[in-house]
Amino acid sequence: MSVLIALLLLAGVQDAKPVQGREAILKQDIELAIKKLGSDRFTESFIAAEELREIGRPAVAALVSELNRRDASPGVKRSICEILGAIRDPNRDAVSALSARLKDPDEYGTSVASAAARALSLIGDERALPEI
């Protein structure tokens, strides 16, 4: 009887699909939250921004990539600047992307440039300072 149960359990394990890894799930969560930043529904975009702040440093690379997109909307760019400022990761790519946004002419309530300046001040990295 116990051999039969063991064979059934073994057969069930062999047919099981591999479980998605933690990193893959986190990557999907980050991508979905970034997509929701552009939502017309305030609560959806607000919650997405909060999720990205909570995820923190693992989300920085994806946020920087989205910030560097030419077709990103002003609202999304401003939100990403604010999120990067809240995360406060002195990542070279993040500082560089935020510094590039200092000359961004787009506005969404407040200018993208001012959101980038606030984010850089929160990060406090010397690379954000202009050369004299």
Side-chain angles (χ1 to χ4, degrees), residues 52-64:
L52 290 164
R53 283 183 184 94
E54 286 181 30
I55 291 170
R57 289 185 175 180
V60 169
L63 288 166
V64 168

Side-chain angles (χ1 to χ4, degrees), residues 29-43:
D29 289 346
I30 292 168
E31 289 171 359
L32 182 61
I34 289 174
K35 285 180 185 175
K36 288 182 180 181
L37 283 177
S39 174
D40 292 334
R41 297 186 331 201
F42 173 76
T43 53

Side-chain angles (χ1 to χ4, degrees), residues 67 81 95-106 111-121 127-130:
L67 185 59
C81 289
V95 171
S96 175
L98 288 167
S99 296
R101 297 287 79 72
L102 291 173
K103 296 178 182 179
D104 194 317
D106 289 335
S111 72
V112 173
S114 66
R118 278 192 305 278
L120 288 167
S121 72
R127 289 174 293 189
L129 297 174

Side-chain angles (χ1 to χ4, degrees), residues 2-117:
S2 61
V3 173
L4 181 60
I5 293 173
L7 287 173
L8 288 173
L9 288 175
L10 183 61
V13 169
Q14 289 176 347
D15 291 337
K17 295 179 182 175
V19 178
Q20 192 175 20
R22 182 179 186 274
E23 291 176 14
I25 293 170
L26 183 60
K27 182 180 177 186
Q28 287 177 348
D29 289 346
I30 292 168
E31 289 171 359
L32 182 61
I34 289 174
K35 285 180 185 175
K36 288 182 180 181
L37 283 177
S39 174
D40 292 334
R41 297 186 331 201
F42 173 76
T43 53
E44 188 172 56
S45 60
F46 178 80
I47 290 170
E50 288 299 311
E51 288 174 357
L52 290 164
R53 283 183 184 94
E54 286 181 30
I55 291 170
R57 289 185 175 180
V60 169
L63 288 166
V64 168
S65 177
E66 185 70 19
L67 185 59
N68 286 332
R69 281 188 40 209
R70 292 191 187 274
D71 62 340
S73 72
V76 170
K77 289 190 289 188
R78 191 204 64 201
S79 292
I80 291 173
C81 289
E82 292 171 353
I83 295 164
L84 289 171
I87 294 172
R88 299 179 68 170
D89 184 2
N91 176 308
R92 179 174 35 121
D93 295 333
V95 171
S96 175
L98 288 167
S99 296
R101 297 287 79 72
L102 291 173
K103 296 178 182 179
D104 194 317
D106 289 335
E107 292 193 18
Y108 186 82
T110 58
S111 72
V112 173
S114 66

